[in-house]
Structure formats: structure tokens, C-alpha cells
Amino acid sequence: MNLLLIGNGFIGNHFYNLFENNYNIKILSRNINYNIDKGIQYPIVNNDFNEKCFENIDVIVYTIYSHSYYDNIILLDKIYKLSSKYNIKKIIYLDTMSIYNFSNKIIDEKTEKTNFNEVYAKNKLRISNHIKNISIKNNINTKILNLSVVLGLGSSWNKYAIDSLLQGNIELPYNGKSKGYVNIIHVEDLCVLIDTIINTKHNDNNEILNVSSGVMITWYDFYNIYKNIITKLGYKSGSIYYEKPNGNLFSKNSIKNMLYYIVYTILGYNILSIIKTYKQSSNDKINRDINFNIKCKNSITVMNGYYRYLHLSNFQYSILKVLDKYNVRFKYNTKDRVEEKILNEYKNNNIK
């Protein structure tokens, strides 16, 4: 089978390494990966590329995301138009759980969408709705996978947790009601699911699938995975603890709380975009990066902005549809198995 892999980042690279011998893979990406020596790579430059990469393709796996909303739309329109031209019948698009309203206790594929005025979540939802329209217009069978937190070597979550604990302590938010839970999946399990979907014949278009391994743990246990890994590899790790309840959504400081709220609205994003455009670097990544954490004088990582909101969320991500329809069983389906897998990955790689 001939496959076009769009994006060779964290997930795309893992998929290629796991299944390069199962498919004839072409790669379309904004960045050339020089560690890939077998796949034929086509660069994307200013949303333009050589359409020859679409020749004889059976399935597309779309893993790429740009921090510019319009770059995503322009590229997707081209992808779907060419998929129709070259008679490609299936696209698997990787999306995010951020499109949902986190106030629900259980989130399934029918859960109401986000009402949180944050740019990334809003843009991902707009893109998802756009995909549904162009898939029908171009008659392309599309599977949309809404991913929970994806872990594994190269994951930004791995790096964030490890860097924070190597540098100091982590203070988790607590609003007096919820200490927050996280739904996770290891990237290898995700890639196996993608492979299963590729080889399963379901003709229903715009199929939405929530994707997690079924592992739901507290954020304390999440960071404790990395604390254990750091310790077992012979490094000194910081501590993890909960803050005293304060009730704020974004920050413990009321003034910062107000500022974060403004930043995460469309108005705040537009103001920051204008500033960044002036500085020759315009994208919505600033909205998350500037507030991901604060490195205090006493080396304590404190979650702010969207990440504080996420760390206070307490929902179970239902994956019954994936389990029933695709008969997949995840290998790393307990906290201990996930921890052991990540530990083994870092035994052969530099943790720093």
C-alpha cells in the first residue's frame, strides 16, 4: 500500500519508524528529516509543494499543524483538492481533545464543543469544521482522531516534565474542588491504531474518534512517572506538590489572572499577533508558550494560562467507540506500563 505521511514531527516520525517496512511511504513536510533515509521526502515551502507526491497514493496520514490558522486552511484545501484529483479515498487527520468542553465529567464524540475562549482550541475547532466541509465537497473518506495527551520519546510533554523536575519543583494547581486528571496514550499505541484504521474498511465519512489508552491518572501521578524515571537514571529530581486552594482559573495572582484571560481571547491574540508581526514572528504559539509555566526564584514550576485550566480539568475521555469499532487493544494501558516504556526509551537516549 502507498501512503503519504504529511508531517514528520513527533508522531509522524514514530509512525514512519514503526511501519516503514509495511508501506511505501512518501513524506510531505515543512522540514526535511535527515534521520529518515528510506522515505521519499517532499518539502512544503510557503504552503506550496510538488504535487507529484500524490501519485499512486492510497491513504494520507495528516499529522501536521501550523501555528498560523490560515496556513492550515490553505494547506488543507490543497491537500483535499489534490486528493480528489488523484483519486485518494481516505485521509486520517490527527486532531486534539482541546476542541471539547472540559466541564463534562465524561467526554465522548458527541460532547459539546469548547466554550473556552482560547486561541489554540478555537482554531483547532474551526479547522476541524472546515475539514468536515471540504471532505464532503471532495468526496474524501476522512477519519478525525481527537487525541488525548500523547507521550513517548520526543513528546513535548516528556520534555516539559523532565526539564521542570531537573531544574526544581513542580507546584500543581488546586482550586479547592479539583486536583485535576489527565488522559494519556503512548505514541506507539497511537501509531498502531492509525495502522489499524488504514487497513480497516469503513466507508462512513467524517468519522470522529476520541483517542486515549484508557489510562486516566492525576497530574501528580503523571509528573511522578517522570520523577521516578529521572531517579532511576541516576539524576536528582525535584518534588511535586499541590498549591494551597485559591480559586483562580489562570493564576494565583488576581492581576495576572485578568491579564491571562485577556491574552487567551481572540482580542488578546490579535494584539499579540500585531506585536509579533512587527517583530517578524507572527503566530499563535506565543499564547501558550509565554504562559506555560513560570520559573520562580526558588525554581518552582507553576502552571498558568491554558495549562492551569488543563491541569484543573477532571474528565474521563471515553474511547468506547475506538475499542468497539476497530477492536484495538492498547499495549501500554496502565500507568506502570507507560512508565516502564518511557524509561526504556530514555535508557538509550540522553534524558537532557
Side-chain angles (χ1 to χ4, degrees):
M1 185 181 291
N2 299 318
L3 189 147
L4 178 61
L5 179 62
I6 301 181
N8 61 6
F10 165 54
I11 296 174
N13 191 45
H14 272 273
F15 183 87
Y16 177 84
N17 289 334
L18 284 171
F19 296 106
E20 60 178 305
N21 296 324
N22 295 45
Y23 304 100
N24 297 315
I25 300 179
K26 297 178 185 178
I27 300 169
L28 180 63
S29 178
R30 292 189 174 92
N31 299 298
I32 296 297
N33 188 335
Y34 294 101
N35 293 320
I36 295 175
D37 55 4
K38 296 180 182 179
I40 302 174
Q41 300 188 65
Y42 293 82
I44 301 171
V45 181
N46 296 324
N47 293 317
D48 199 12
F49 51 85
N50 186 345
E51 70 175 69
K52 185 177 180 181
C53 61
F54 280 75
E55 293 178 352
N56 301 316
I57 292 297
D58 300 301
V59 177
I60 291 175
V61 178
Y62 196 105
T63 72
I64 202 169
Y65 174 73
S66 169
H67 295 289
S68 164
Y69 168 75
Y70 294 104
D71 281 347
N72 288 292
I73 297 301
I74 292 169
L75 184 60
L76 280 164
D77 284 345
K78 288 184 178 181
I79 297 299
Y80 272 86
K81 185 177 180 180
L82 288 170
S83 296
S84 180
K85 176 180 176 180
Y86 286 92
N87 199 33
I88 299 170
K89 292 303 182 183
K90 182 184 287 187
I91 293 179
I92 299 171
Y93 174 79
L94 303 192
D95 211 339
T96 173
M97 67 179 181
S98 295
I99 66 169
Y100 289 114
N101 184 347
F102 288 173
S103 64
N104 292 61
K105 291 299 181 182
I106 297 178
I107 292 180
D108 61 21
E109 287 79 2
K110 296 180 181 180
T111 296
E112 61 187 349
K113 301 304 183 288
T114 182
N115 57 5
F116 185 51
N117 201 5
E118 191 265 333
V119 175
Y120 174 80
K122 289 288 186 182
N123 281 348
K124 290 294 286 186
L125 181 56
R126 292 164 67 194
I127 293 168
S128 180
N129 290 333
H130 184 73
I131 288 173
K132 294 172 186 177
N133 291 329
I134 59 177
S135 67
I136 294 173
K137 179 181 178 181
N138 293 283
N139 192 29
I140 308 293
N141 186 344
T142 300
K143 312 296 182 186
I144 300 176
L145 277 55
N146 294 327
L147 309 181
S148 59
V149 171
V150 184
L151 305 179
L153 190 65
S155 163
S156 59
W157 282 105
N158 276 32
K159 179 174 173 53
Y160 175 70
I162 288 172
D163 286 352
S164 296
L165 289 167
L166 286 175
Q167 295 179 46
N169 301 324
I170 292 179
E171 182 180 274
L172 296 173
Y174 177 44
N175 62 6
K177 297 179 181 179
S178 172
K179 293 186 176 180
Y181 282 77
V182 56
N183 298 259
I184 61 177
I185 184 170
H186 190 274
V187 64
E188 186 174 309
D189 277 336
L190 169 59
C191 291
V192 170
L193 173 62
I194 293 171
D195 175 62
T196 301
I197 295 174
I198 290 172
N199 292 285
T200 302
K201 293 183 179 180
H202 286 312
N203 294 322
D204 42 337
N205 191 16
N206 283 331
E207 181 179 39
I208 311 296
L209 297 168
N210 289 351
V211 178
S212 173
S213 63
V215 178
M216 178 183 175
I217 56 178
T218 64
W219 281 102
Y220 182 94
D221 286 338
F222 173 85
Y223 289 107
N224 200 51
I225 288 175
Y226 295 96
K227 180 180 178 180
N228 291 339
I229 289 172
I230 290 170
T231 303
K232 289 176 182 177
L233 292 177
Y235 296 91
K236 183 179 179 180
S237 171
S239 299
I240 309 156
Y241 53 84
Y242 287 100
E243 69 184 17
K244 294 181 180 179
N246 61 79
N248 285 331
L249 178 63
F250 287 121
S251 172
K252 292 187 290 184
N253 182 292
S254 59
I255 296 177
K256 287 182 180 179
N257 196 47
M258 179 181 68
L259 292 175
Y260 284 133
Y261 179 81
I262 294 173
V263 165
Y264 278 88
T265 64
I266 297 298
L267 173 61
Y269 166 67
N270 288 335
I271 293 172
L272 288 171
S273 292
I274 292 172
I275 296 172
K276 277 296 185 178
T277 299
Y278 180 75
K279 293 183 178 181
Q280 307 299 315
S281 177
S282 174
N283 58 57
D284 68 16
K285 192 172 186 292
I286 181 176
N287 283 292
R288 291 197 159 198
D289 283 356
I290 62 172
N291 298 323
F292 197 159
N293 62 279
I294 296 175
K295 294 294 184 183
C296 301
K297 291 182 179 179
N298 54 350
S299 298
I300 300 175
T301 297
V302 181
M303 287 73 189
N304 282 290
Y306 174 84
Y307 292 92
R308 181 174 180 81
Y309 173 72
L310 180 62
H311 280 72
L312 287 171
S313 298
N314 186 7
F315 62 87
Q316 182 177 357
Y317 207 48
S318 174
I319 56 170
L320 293 177
K321 187 175 179 180
V322 162
L323 297 179
D324 292 343
K325 194 162 189 177
Y326 289 94
N327 195 32
V328 63
R329 293 296 179 266
F330 297 112
K331 183 176 181 180
Y332 306 104
N333 56 2
T334 68
K335 171 184 172 293
D336 290 342
R337 288 182 179 180
V338 172
E339 181 177 319
E340 182 181 8
K341 173 64 175 177
I342 297 175
L343 173 62
N344 288 333
E345 290 174 331
Y346 277 111
K347 281 182 177 178
N348 298 318
N349 293 273
N350 189 350
I351 197 168
K352 295 183 179 182

